Amino acid sequence: MQQLSIIKVGGKVVETPESLQQLLNDFVALPGLKVLVHGGGRSATKVAEQLGIETKMVEGRRITDMETLKVVTMVYAGLVNKNIVASLQAKGANAIGLTGADLNLIKAIKRPVKNIDYGYVGDVESVQVEELMELLNKKVVPVIAPLTHDGLGNMLNTNADTMASALAGALAKHYRVNLVYCFEKRGVLSNPNDDDALIDKLSHPLFKQYQQSGVIAEGMIPKLDNGFNALNKGVEKVIITNTEGLKQGFNAGTVLVL
Amino acid sequence: MQQLSIIKVGGKVVETPESLQQLLNDFVALPGLKVLVHGGGRSATKVAEQLGIETKMVEGRRITDMETLKVVTMVYAGLVNKNIVASLQAKGANAIGLTGADLNLIKAIKRPVKNIDYGYVGDVESVQVEELMELLNKKVVPVIAPLTHDGLGNMLNTNADTMASALAGALAKHYRVNLVYCFEKRGVLSNPNDDDALIDKLSHPLFKQYQQSGVIAEGMIPKLDNGFNALNKGVEKVIITNTEGLKQGFNAGTVLVL
């Protein structure tokens, strides 16, 4: 099987022009087939603010009412996605920008209302990679925005980490997949204030232990759940690292093991 | 050669939810391979207004400064394009939303400044349909937003009629292409205020004569130039009609002949 790298980038990295260009240079330099999954939350918050739409977050998740859905569709699938695609084309990668609606790539279900009504937020239901694979095999580089659709005509806002994990899991049947979560820090830290406190190898039992003791908390928990889910679906390697780590051949940062 | 229909829709049709859904039903019902090219100017003007960005038009063309480029990228490639894609998926068509940057489909050159500086507006330079054809042959339905890229990392605002013509011309080497310009009126009218004054067949010499006498004027001129360009590149049929005409098997409205 061919090797395929799925790189998820989010946070400031993707939304500062200089760091984005640097990241895309490193991404283009990666060998083999590849997919980029991006966020764009900061830009969405900024555009929402300019439009006078209040941003509501609960536990780090955006409450997506109808107006906010329009904003994230514009910002993620339009502004952020197409600027990445145009930049990659300029760097010689034949990029294509996609959401989960395109090619019916990722279908989701609107999150059921329990304690909190997240609005137009999608939980991944199915992944359909047949046409995506045709493109990959022609050396096309998919650039995926964090949006899905419900199969009923509506777009849904979906977490980019989850989309990367779902794609990696589905593609693991056809490729030897490396999944890289690329963010600001060196990897998973045993002390969030000490960048030297890198956990270089994190097993699932150790993760659960750290979670219980509070060493690993907040946004890192769903990210790691997504990472371990991908491993469980046959993804060969999952690492969590920063842009520096991206250059080191999938051996930097925190490596997850089952 | 297989038949391929390229339908360009613009104006109110694409920006009123009810008429859009009706149009998409008719589009899905068309036999054979198909491509949809859409506009979105009214939505762009509305979002620009909400963002406090002034819309400047010269001879019906949008002056695209950096802020306006962001708006049209958000609205055309994000909001309008992805809502069409999600709707088509719900209607059973495996749609994919693309700009000229995706798959390097349409590369353009930033319009040189002569009397007017149009800003980030692209004039089509080259069309590359290899990967698009792979998708078409898998029954995927491309939905094209009116944006191109310059190959240097920038998106460019590009006229949707021109993009439809350029695509039709490039695809005419591989398919028997019908190009339909679908808009509010029944077709080209010899009296713009009389919907019964339909010119059902318009030859190029007659077009030039009507242009000189002022019977055909304003926005219809570049549309017809685009239509005749497509015929010159081997497109089998070019018609100009409304959504009613779309249902009548490429025999309604105004048929262009060389």
Side-chain angles (χ1 to χ4, degrees), chain B residues 47-258:
Chain B
V47 171
E49 194 180 287
Q50 289 170 336
L51 289 168
I53 298 163
E54 193 192 346
T55 296
K56 288 177 215 138
M57 307 286 279
V58 175
E59 290 167 6
R61 303 274 171 159
R62 191 179 300 268
I63 304 288
T64 308
D65 61 13
M66 185 54 88
E67 287 307 305
T68 304
L69 179 65
K70 285 183 190 171
V71 171
V72 297
T73 304
M74 291 199 295
V75 172
Y76 299 163
L79 193 61
V80 177
N81 189 270
K82 297 311 171 193
N83 279 320
I84 292 175
V85 169
S87 290
L88 285 174
Q89 289 287 353
K91 294 176 198 300
N94 192 10
I96 186 170
L98 301 170
T99 67
D102 301 286
L103 301 172
N104 193 25
L105 192 57
I106 304 186
K107 212 162 94 172
I109 189 159
K110 187 170 176 289
R111 186 170 298 166
V113 178
K114 289 177 190 163
N115 298 330
I116 302 160
D117 182 359
Y118 284 96
Y120 293 92
V121 164
D123 292 325
V124 173
E125 200 179 39
S126 61
V127 184
Q128 206 274 91
V129 293
E130 192 190 329
E131 289 84 8
L132 189 78
M133 284 169 56
E134 293 276 330
L135 292 170
L136 284 169
N137 296 343
K138 298 210 76 171
K139 311 280 180 259
V140 169
V141 177
V143 178
I144 315 285
L147 295 159
T148 55
H149 75 130
D150 65 359
L152 306 167
N154 306 296
M155 298 298 294
L156 293 170
N157 188 10
T158 299
N159 181 270
D161 286 353
T162 307
M163 286 186 65
S165 172
L167 272 173
L171 288 164
K173 294 182 187 74
H174 310 280
Y175 303 91
R176 291 186 294 113
V177 175
N178 290 319
L179 171 61
V180 182
Y181 285 113
C182 188
F183 76 142
E184 280 96 341
K185 300 199 170 169
R186 283 180 63 209
V188 187
L189 305 176
S190 58
N191 173 354
N193 301 316
D194 179 4
D195 222 38
D196 286 332
L198 178 73
I199 303 167
D200 58 1
K201 196 180 203 177
L202 183 64
S203 69
H204 194 257
L206 190 61
F207 164 47
K208 286 290 149 195
Q209 195 182 307
Y210 278 158
Q211 186 179 347
Q212 210 157 25
S213 64
V215 168
I216 295 175
E218 298 180 351
M220 190 52 78
I221 294 168
K223 194 183 282 291
L224 287 169
D225 280 333
N226 277 314
F228 285 110
N229 278 343
L231 280 184
N232 276 319
K233 287 184 192 152
V235 169
E236 201 166 88
K237 197 161 203 176
V238 178
I239 70 169
I240 299 181
T241 186
N242 59 8
T243 48
E244 278 307 302
L246 192 59
K247 300 179 210 171
Q248 290 160 40
F250 310 117
N251 286 312
T254 300
V255 179
L256 307 194
V257 289
L258 285 178

Side-chain angles (χ1 to χ4, degrees), chain A residues 82 89 95 97 102-103 130 138, chain B residues 82 95 97 101-103 130 138:
Chain A
K82 296 313 169 191
Q89 289 286 354
D102 301 286
L103 300 173
E130 193 190 328
K138 297 209 77 170
Chain B
K82 297 311 171 193
D102 301 286
L103 301 172
E130 192 190 329
K138 298 210 76 171

